[in-house]
């Protein structure tokens, strides 16, 4: 593992591919749903249901994608993913009916497991080594503009192009921009591996695992997955519906303008963290991020249909989303170290996407059944469970180890720094 810093050009290029990846494979969907539903004579909530099923399939494959990134290199995996994403977008554009569209949408979300944040974070760790946490923050800072750029860009393109033609344009962007960048990153990763092959990876405060007992280690891992699953549910349910949601709450055309603040708010949270959060443990960042999400929903519901209240909601939600994106990559690194990082990050992605797969469809059905405001109050209550999960990790970390446990844990960490690997409850991840 290289201890050098990832080159700035590589970080900016990777940020560009994340903007394109999230914009074309995720954020554009809610803008195109009305046209898709109209052409296929399908209720909009069932189109969101197709997205939910596709996100679930992508989540199922995420741990495998993480193991492949560990084994073959994240750059290679992302290169393949770019080609697969473009092919899936073309398949969506050419789908003649509902079944073929669902199959293409599922392929699109499977491809996303190879090109979005989980794969990008592994690429940073493989290229950037011990400075990976700071580089992950920088990447999320750049990629935070995805929604700000692609919500209005998709709407503008859709004024002149059909939804099918929009997807063809997006496929071309993935091939022309993302694929060559990822191929270049694959070469950088191989060079970094060669230059570091004679130097064992250091276990330090950035990359080294926290000293847990085996039982606490398993508990922390499950709590982490639970916290991220809850965040994934809240974020996915709101982000997919954000533009139509603000309209339904009486904001009218101002709703689209307000939602453009989401991206800058994500960027602001990452910038603040980059400048002032260097000494703050990632577990505390996780607690703060989990708190901001339901807080934003409460601000919206307590003031609707007030425009200032909607602005406060989008800003708080964006701040929480920005921190969630950071800790999704840095918290597993801080708690468990670099060993099998890709596989663990795959499980984090799976946990998020399992819940995120259900979220858009669940919220759409809830809003149709009990109304918009009760559905949002329920979503805020779910978000508060995430605060409890991450707070429990903070409490477990504060528990002192007995002298024998400290000795055993230190010995196991030393073993993990060598090619010999100790058995653990996390084997197979």
């Amino acid at each position: 593992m290289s201890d050098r810093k990832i080159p700035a050009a590589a970080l900016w290029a990777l940020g560009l591919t994340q903007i394109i990846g999230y914009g074309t494979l995720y954020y554009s969907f809610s803008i195109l749903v009305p046209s898709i539903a109209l052409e296929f004579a399908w209720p909009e909530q069932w189109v969101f249901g197709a997205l939910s099923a596709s996100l679930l399939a992508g989540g199922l494959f995420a741990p495998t994608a993480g193991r492949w990134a560990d084994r073959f290199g994240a750059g290679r995996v992302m290169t393949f993913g770019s080609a697969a994403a473009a092919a899936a977008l073309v398949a969506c554009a050419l789908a003649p009916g509902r079944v073929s569209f669902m199959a293409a949408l599922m392929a699109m979300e499977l491809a996303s497991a190879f090109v979005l944040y989980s794969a990008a974070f592994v690429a940073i760790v493989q290229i950037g080594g011990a400075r990976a946490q700071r580089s992950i923050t920088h990447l999320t800072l750049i990629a935070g503009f995805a929604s700000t750029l692609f919500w209005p860009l998709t709407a503008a393109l859709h004024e002149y192009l059909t939804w099918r033609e929009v997807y063809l344009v997006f496929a071309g962007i993935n091939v022309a921009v993302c694929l060559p960048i990822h191929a270049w990153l694959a070469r950088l990763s191989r060079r970094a591996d060669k230059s570091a092959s004679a130097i064992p990876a250091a276990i330090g405060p950035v990359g080294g695992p926290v000293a847990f007992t085996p039982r606490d280690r398993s508990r922390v891992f499950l709590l982490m997955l639970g916290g991220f699953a809850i965040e994934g549910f809240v974020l996915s349910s709101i982000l997919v519906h954000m533009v139509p949601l603000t309209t339904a709450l009486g904001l009218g055309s101002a709703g689209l303008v307000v939602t453009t603040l989401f991206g800058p708010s994500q960027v602001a949270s990452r910038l603040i963290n980059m400048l002032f959060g260097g000494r703050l443990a990632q577990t505390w960042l996780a607690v703060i991020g989990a708190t901001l999400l339901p807080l934003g929903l409460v601000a919206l519901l307590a003031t609707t249909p007030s425009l200032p209240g909607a602005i406060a909601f989008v800003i708080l939600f964006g701040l929480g989303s920005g921190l969630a994106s950071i800790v999704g990559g840095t918290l597993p690194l801080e708690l468990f170290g670099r060993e099998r990082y890709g596989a663990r990050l795959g499980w984090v992605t799976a946990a998020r996407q399992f819940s995120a797969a259900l979220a858009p469809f669940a919220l759409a059905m809830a809003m149709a059944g009990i109304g918009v405001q009760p559905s949002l109050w329920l979503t805020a209550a779910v978000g508060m469970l995430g605060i409890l999960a991450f707070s429990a990790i903070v409490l477990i970390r504060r528990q002192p180890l007995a002298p024998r446990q400290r000795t055993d844990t230190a010995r196991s960490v030393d073993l993990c720094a060598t090619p010999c690997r100790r058995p653990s409850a996390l084997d197979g991840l």
Side-chain angles (χ1 to χ4, degrees), residues 355-400:
S355 58
L358 304 174
F361 181 65
L363 184 59
M365 295 299 289
M367 289 191 295
I370 63 175
V372 174
Q373 293 198 32
S375 300
L376 294 182
W377 279 115
L378 185 60
T379 304
V382 171
M384 292 176 185
L385 297 177
I387 304 173
L388 296 178
F390 290 122
S391 297
I393 296 176
V394 173
L395 294 177
I396 292 173
R397 287 193 64 175
R398 287 186 169 183
Q399 292 178 358

Side-chain angles (χ1 to χ4, degrees), residues 106-346:
M106 192 168 295
M108 191 165 73
E109 295 307 324
L110 285 172
S112 71
F114 295 95
V115 295
L116 297 184
Y117 269 158
S118 56
F121 292 161
V122 178
I124 285 176
V125 170
Q126 290 175 349
I127 298 173
R131 303 184 184 184
Q133 282 191 3
R134 187 166 181 82
S135 296
I136 287 173
T137 302
H138 290 165
L139 177 67
T140 58
L141 181 64
I142 299 166
F145 287 102
S147 60
T148 301
L149 293 174
F150 270 85
W151 274 333
L153 175 61
T154 304
L157 286 173
H158 197 29
E159 288 184 5
Y160 302 97
L161 304 174
T162 67
W163 67 268
R164 295 178 183 273
E165 291 168 339
V166 171
Y167 271 146
L168 288 175
V169 171
F170 288 165
I173 294 174
N174 275 272
V175 170
V177 179
C178 298
L179 193 150
I181 288 176
H182 292 155
W184 173 56
L185 290 173
R187 293 194 295 272
L188 275 182
S189 181
R190 287 196 295 271
R191 287 201 294 267
D193 286 342
K194 289 178 181 178
S195 66
S197 59
I199 304 174
I203 302 291
V206 173
V210 176
F212 291 123
T213 66
R215 180 186 176 188
D216 283 347
R217 190 178 179 88
S218 298
R219 289 167 59 197
V220 165
F221 187 73
L222 292 175
L223 284 168
M224 182 182 71
L225 292 186
F228 284 133
I230 292 167
E231 281 189 340
F233 182 90
V234 175
L235 282 168
S236 180
S237 62
I238 300 302
L239 288 179
V240 171
H241 293 285
M242 184 173 282
V243 175
L245 187 64
T246 53
T247 302
L249 289 173
L251 293 170
S253 59
L256 179 60
V257 177
V258 168
T259 57
T260 61
L261 297 174
F262 176 78
S265 299
Q266 284 193 116
V267 173
S269 70
R270 295 160 185 171
L271 181 61
I272 293 169
N273 177 61
M274 183 180 69
L275 295 176
F276 305 109
R279 296 184 179 180
L280 190 63
Q282 301 304 301
T283 45
W284 280 111
L285 283 180
V287 172
I288 294 170
T291 302
L292 289 170
L293 298 179
L295 184 61
L297 286 172
V298 170
L300 175 67
L301 291 165
T303 60
T304 190
S306 165
L307 184 61
I311 292 173
F313 151 67
V314 173
I315 291 175
L316 288 171
F317 209 77
L319 291 172
S321 176
L323 290 180
S325 298
I326 295 171
V327 298
T330 58
L331 185 59
L333 191 62
E334 177 181 270
L335 294 176
F336 304 106
R338 301 189 195 108
E339 187 186 12
R340 302 190 305 282
Y341 173 69
R344 287 198 179 93
L345 205 56

Side-chain angles (χ1 to χ4, degrees), residues 8-96:
L11 191 61
W12 280 98
L14 191 56
L16 176 61
T17 69
Q18 294 305 289
I19 290 174
I20 294 172
Y22 275 101
T24 60
L25 301 174
Y26 187 75
Y27 286 119
S28 63
F29 188 80
S30 63
I31 305 297
L32 301 177
V33 160
S35 296
I36 295 170
L38 181 63
E39 181 170 335
F40 290 138
W42 214 357
E44 288 188 19
Q45 59 263 37
W46 287 103
V47 182
F48 284 115
L51 176 64
S52 295
S54 302
L55 288 170
L56 180 60
L60 287 169
F61 206 74
T64 300
R67 288 194 295 269
W68 288 2
D70 283 334
R71 181 176 179 183
F72 303 111
R76 289 181 179 178
V77 167
M78 296 181 80
T79 303
F80 164 78
S82 295
L89 286 164
V90 171
C92 278
L94 301 179

